[in-house]
Amino acid sequence: MVAPETQGQKVYSRPESLTVTPTHYCPGCTHGVAHRLVAEVIDEMKLRERTIGVASVGCSVFAYNYFDFDFVQSPHGRAPAMATGVKRTLPDKIVFTYQGDGDLASIGMGEIVHAAARGENITVIFVNNTNYGMTGGQMAPTTLPGQKTSTSVNGRDVETQGFPIRASELIATLDGASYVVRRSLNDPKNIRQAKKALRTAFEVQQRGLGFSFVELLSICPTNWGMTPTQSIQWLEEKMMPFYQLGDYKISQAVAGLKF
Amino acid sequence: MARQLLKGNEAVAEAAVRAGLQSYFGYPITPQTELLEYLSHRMPELGRGFVQAESELGAVNMVYGAACTGARTMSSSSSPGVSLMLEGLSYIAGTELPAVLVDVMRGGPGLGNISPSQQDYNQIVHGGGHGDFKMIALAPCSVQESIDLTVLAFDLAEKYRSIAVVLTDGSIGQMMEPAELPEMRPVKFMDTDWAVRGAEGRDRRFLSSIYLDPPQEEQANLRMARRWEEIEANEVRFKEYYLDDADFAVVGFGSAGRIALSAVRQARAEGIKVGLLRPITVNPFPAKVLKEVAKKVQGMLVVEMNAGQMLDDVIRITNNCVPIEFFARLGGVMPFPEEVLVEIHRLAKGPLTTEGDPRSRWLKRASAAR
Amino acid sequence: MPAKGWIVVSDLYCKGCELCVSECPQHVLALNMDRLTPKGYHPAYQINDGCTGCATCSVICPEGAITVFREGPNKVTRVNVQEA
């Protein structure tokens, strides 16, 4: 059926801030959704010419290939520090990091906690898929108790491998953090909520209201060994009870925000 | 500008400010901390970027971020802290960005102590993190030279899109000496075609040290290697003392060179024809002049505050054409001029040999003495 | 009369992940098992004209592969109208 493109009203199309490059992410990986939402927010806020993204190391290491604005690549775990360097040098630019759970909650825990404690005026997008994706599905700080990964083959044993870290709750305890929320990319309703949160986060930064942090629950079909739709179900049944969605820190100034 | 009595670390900090330092990121570690403390008020006072980072690891990555914008940026630390920075230095080098690091060396390895040493010569000249890259390394021996070499470090870093290290030590950082500070230069971004400052009215840019395709990584490495040849050809600096008619030559950089100079002067007064070659750029190393000196003297004495790191370079470069002796104090102990004088007397008395290993000869003597 | 819409799925981006198929409220999407994209995926496609242009598929699509059109009586709801 040939769609009569010309007469109809275009209701949605790929955001301008995404490059014309197909991503390397696995089919169904919701990193793609996160990328799309960031690009939509940057388009809507007309920030493309003022934004500098800081890519981390993990599946999203190639994020700079997919966003059509300036980007820099940080060493594993160091994105918040690198973003600090950029922002302190270019205070009028919009600076955000895009990090996975291995990058942020493991090797980069020192950097993220102190960037938040300093109240750096940057935005951190934290994609939590409970494992190290790029390197083939190892246990991460966010791996659930009992969850099988390539380095917890019999399921994560909390006795010897410790407990998962809820990053949003942890960051929310820091006075420097102004906006800390957890959303999920598992269905259209939550995706729309996630976009609102990302929009708020960039508004917080644009108005100089301090450190903003959006955690996004995300699926990893390949390393979880499931289809995308099964992965969505696993996220809903297993991740959501442990990683509760919600607003963990909204400073007074942010609460009063109207846009 | 008038000469003032200045403390090494603070002089270097102010020199960087006057060289147009736009953002500084550091962390407390003796014997370098005064540099951080000074900039903690001086930089905000001038409306420039300053962060005391969570660690040296955080600090160097903040420098990496700032360097991406084409701003003059710097960090400073001491031996153990610099070890934490090696990952970041490799990334900065791999992205071919200008940046300055001040390394105020202290006794090591490990926690070591807070006394001055030269034990990180290899870490900076031959090491510096993973991958094929080199860093320019400038070794001052006084507060004045620390000032001048800090300004030079920024200029060289920018000129060659490289990392320039001011390789000093705790004594130079902590002591006070009369010195003259340079004029204040305006802060300005480098106008480059690579800096990332927001894609306004131009295509987007991205800065990264990733080259997934090996042939492209090879091209990047070749580009850096060619650039290093250019640096070697144009940026070697050293100082010669009493070498014109010298029968013997002492080779020493930084504080060791300065202490050796006192001994050389004393020996000259006693009629011994000895001179001093003091490398200022320890990377690129002054190989040409070293070879020239080696041809015209009967023997060389290498003096260092480490177990013979520059010694290995001197041996390699002179390639057995001159007998070499070695003297060192380790672990943060600084030699006295009198100790170096004893070694000059030994050199002058002989016998001299190109056989065997100067380090093991020194080790026997050192063990016997202590 | 419900709004009438249609979608265009880009062969460049679609990876046949089927998320849109399961989320489409009108169940008008399926993977086209007779065709492969240059990358070797079976792309999603519209199997009949029941599409209302609600754009739910474009919200779930991880690749931004779907462009959604709508014509018909009611007002266009501004989701994210981009002029090509």
Side-chain angles (χ1 to χ4, degrees):
Chain A
M1 175 182 115
V2 176
E5 280 176 50
T6 45
Q7 297 129 9
Q9 268 287 333
K10 192 176 285 189
V11 175
Y12 177 82
S13 71
R14 193 182 162 82
E16 269 172 39
S17 288
L18 286 181
T19 55
V20 187
T21 318
T23 68
H24 72 289
Y25 298 118
C26 308
C29 171
T30 40
H31 260 306
V33 176
H35 280 39
R36 223 194 62 231
L37 297 181
V38 169
E40 287 171 19
V41 167
I42 296 287
D43 280 358
E44 285 158 23
M45 294 177 70
K46 300 199 174 14
L47 290 175
R48 202 146 67 92
E49 293 186 336
R50 284 182 48 218
T51 300
I52 297 168
V54 181
S56 61
V57 170
C59 283
S60 63
V61 63
F62 301 129
Y64 54 79
N65 284 331
Y66 307 131
F67 289 107
D68 195 12
F69 45 77
D70 273 7
F71 240 87
V72 295
Q73 169 73 59
S74 68
H76 194 32
R78 316 304 173 209
M82 196 170 183
T84 299
V86 176
K87 187 73 178 189
R88 292 296 181 118
T89 307
L90 299 168
D92 60 335
K93 298 298 189 228
I94 299 296
V95 180
F96 73 94
T97 74
Y98 186 103
Q99 302 173 255
D101 40 9
D103 186 277
L104 181 133
S106 197
I107 188 170
M109 182 59 89
E111 275 62 59
I112 189 63
V113 165
H114 283 277
R118 288 193 303 267
E120 290 297 338
N121 209 338
I122 59 175
T123 300
V124 170
I125 297 159
F126 168 45
V127 176
N128 173 1
N129 62 7
T130 74
N131 80 113
Y132 284 82
M134 173 65 95
T135 41
Q138 294 74 31
M139 184 178 83
T142 47
T143 297
L144 298 177
Q147 182 182 349
K148 286 189 164 68
T149 72
S150 67
T151 50
S152 58
V153 289
N154 304 316
R156 179 174 191 168
D157 169 9
V158 295
E159 293 308 317
T160 55
Q161 294 169 308
F163 295 85
I165 295 172
R166 295 184 179 89
S168 292
E169 288 83 336
L170 188 145
I171 298 292
T173 62
L174 300 165
D175 293 348
S178 301
Y179 181 69
V180 182
V181 298
R182 177 181 295 122
R183 299 291 185 267
S184 172
L185 301 175
N186 62 305
D187 65 26
K189 181 179 75 60
N190 279 335
I191 290 172
R192 284 199 166 90
Q193 297 287 344
K195 178 172 176 178
K196 274 206 198 74
L198 286 170
R199 174 64 187 260
T200 308
F202 278 97
E203 291 283 350
V204 165
Q205 176 173 175
Q206 188 173 36
R207 299 157 199 261
L209 298 179
F211 180 83
S212 49
F213 180 96
V214 178
E215 177 177 356
L216 300 171
L217 299 189
S218 189
I219 63 174
C220 184
T222 300
N223 290 317
W224 291 357
M226 307 170 199
T227 68
T229 27
Q230 287 165 343
S231 306
I232 294 277
Q233 217 179 335
W234 192 84
L235 184 154
E236 286 161 359
E237 284 162 17
K238 291 287 197 282
M239 284 182 72
M240 281 185 157
F242 193 89
Y243 298 108
Q244 307 264 338
L245 304 189
D247 299 348
Y248 289 91
K249 178 74 177 295
I250 309 252
S251 70
Q252 258 170 349
V254 174
L257 260 186
K258 291 279 171 300
F259 50 83
Chain B
M1 296 295 276
R3 280 159 65 98
Q4 305 156 275
L5 195 59
L6 293 169
K7 187 177 188 111
N9 281 336
E10 284 161 4
V12 165
E14 182 58 23
V17 164
R18 297 184 181 206
L21 174 67
Q22 192 161 349
S23 309
Y24 168 85
F25 311 95
Y27 190 78
I29 181 167
T30 307
Q32 160 270 171
T33 311
E34 292 83 0
L35 206 158
L36 170 83
E37 287 168 341
Y38 180 86
L39 292 178
S40 72
H41 52 83
R42 180 70 167 138
M43 291 294 272
E45 191 182 284
L46 297 167
R48 304 185 194 182
F50 172 89
V51 176
Q52 179 183 313
E54 57 273 18
S55 66
E56 290 91 351
L57 204 138
V60 71
N61 281 288
M62 293 176 189
V63 166
Y64 188 14
C68 285
T69 71
R72 286 199 153 189
T73 183
M74 172 176 111
S75 186
S76 61
S77 187
S78 172
S79 313
V82 174
S83 292
L84 284 182
M85 292 185 166
L86 296 187
E87 177 200 49
L89 292 174
S90 175
Y91 275 74
I92 292 170
T95 317
E96 295 168 83
L97 296 174
V100 171
L101 170 69
V102 180
D103 181 359
V104 186
M105 290 181 282
R106 70 186 231 179
L111 187 54
N113 53 49
I114 57 173
S115 302
S117 96
Q118 300 183 321
Q119 293 184 314
D120 308 336
Y121 173 94
N122 280 342
Q123 176 182 55
I124 298 297
V125 173
H126 297 299
H130 58 283
D132 267 319
F133 73 95
K134 287 183 184 303
M135 299 186 284
I136 297 165
L138 312 169
C141 77
S142 67
V143 171
Q144 185 62 61
E145 221 175 31
S146 304
I147 291 169
D148 303 338
L149 294 183
T150 297
V151 176
L152 179 64
F154 279 102
D155 294 340
L156 292 181
E158 210 167 291
K159 183 176 173 186
Y160 295 101
R161 286 183 67 176
S162 299
I163 295 167
V165 180
V166 178
L167 190 58
T168 177
D169 65 53
S171 67
I172 302 168
Q174 292 295 329
M175 71 178 162
M176 295 186 83
E177 273 188 308
E180 194 176 326
L181 286 162
E183 292 298 322
M184 179 72 93
R185 284 195 215 168
V187 169
K188 62 176 176 52
F189 284 97
M190 298 166 213
D191 73 31
T192 76
D193 57 3
W194 48 262
V196 159
R197 294 198 276 269
E200 200 158 349
R202 63 163 169 75
D203 290 340
R204 72 189 182 95
R205 291 178 190 148
F206 75 87
L207 284 173
S208 158
S209 57
I210 195 168
Y211 292 93
L212 210 52
D213 174 23
Q216 283 192 348
E217 179 71 78
E218 184 172 51
Q219 282 312 315
N221 285 341
L222 289 172
R223 189 169 55 239
M224 295 177 214
R226 278 193 298 272
R227 184 177 295 136
W228 186 257
E229 272 193 334
E230 224 187 300
I231 294 172
E232 273 178 327
N234 303 310
E235 305 302 343
V236 167
R237 287 165 172 82
F238 55 85
K239 225 159 180 230
E240 295 178 278
Y241 307 83
Y242 314 104
L243 281 174
D244 301 344
D245 67 341
D247 296 334
F248 306 98
V250 179
V251 184
F253 72 95
S255 294
R258 180 169 177 171
I259 291 163
L261 181 56
S262 305
V264 162
R265 287 193 171 119
Q266 178 64 26
R268 273 281 169 177
E270 295 167 4
I272 301 172
K273 286 194 190 148
V274 61
L276 169 72
L277 172 64
R278 181 167 68 83
I280 292 174
T281 55
V282 285
N283 211 25
F285 195 83
K288 199 159 77 61
V289 65
L290 178 66
K291 283 194 194 114
E292 288 155 12
V293 171
K295 287 199 187 67
K296 62 177 183 179
V297 294
Q298 299 161 27
M300 270 188 170
L301 170 66
V302 175
V303 177
E304 283 183 271
M305 286 153 54
N306 61 47
Q309 297 184 26
M310 184 184 70
L311 173 66
D312 290 332
D313 285 339
V314 170
I315 291 171
R316 171 175 52 82
I317 291 166
T318 54
N319 196 11
N320 252 330
C321 82
V322 68
I324 294 173
E325 289 301 321
F326 177 58
F327 173 70
R329 295 307 300 267
L330 306 184
V333 172
M334 289 190 86
F336 284 101
E338 291 68 24
E339 293 175 85
V340 178
L341 185 58
V342 165
E343 297 301 322
I344 294 176
H345 288 158
R346 182 192 317 283
L347 191 74
K349 191 155 65 63
L352 293 173
T353 171
T354 52
E355 298 307 317
D357 176 9
R359 194 194 325 273
S360 54
R361 288 198 292 274
W362 156 73
L363 208 51
K364 281 196 200 67
R365 290 200 304 275
S367 314
R370 234 55 83 229
Chain C
M1 210 269 281
K4 174 66 63 204
W6 62 91
I7 61 164
V8 172
V9 179
S10 153
D11 269 8
L12 179 62
Y13 300 121
C14 178
K15 293 174 183 167
C17 75
E18 281 189 297
L19 286 178
C20 59
V21 172
S22 55
E23 289 296 341
C24 173
Q26 313 303 329
H27 309 297
V28 299
L29 300 179
L31 292 192
N32 184 340
M33 303 316 279
D34 309 330
R35 201 170 65 80
L36 290 174
T37 69
K39 290 241 173 168
Y41 294 115
H42 287 293
Y45 81 116
Q46 197 181 319
I47 53 176
N48 62 45
D49 63 4
C51 169
T52 62
C54 74
T56 297
C57 56
S58 70
V59 171
I60 190 73
C61 175
E63 307 305 329
I66 303 174
T67 307
V68 183
F69 297 89
R70 180 182 300 159
E71 45 120 297
N74 56 356
K75 199 166 59 51
V76 169
T77 54
R78 289 195 65 75
V79 174
N80 176 359
V81 179
Q82 294 297 320
E83 287 324 306

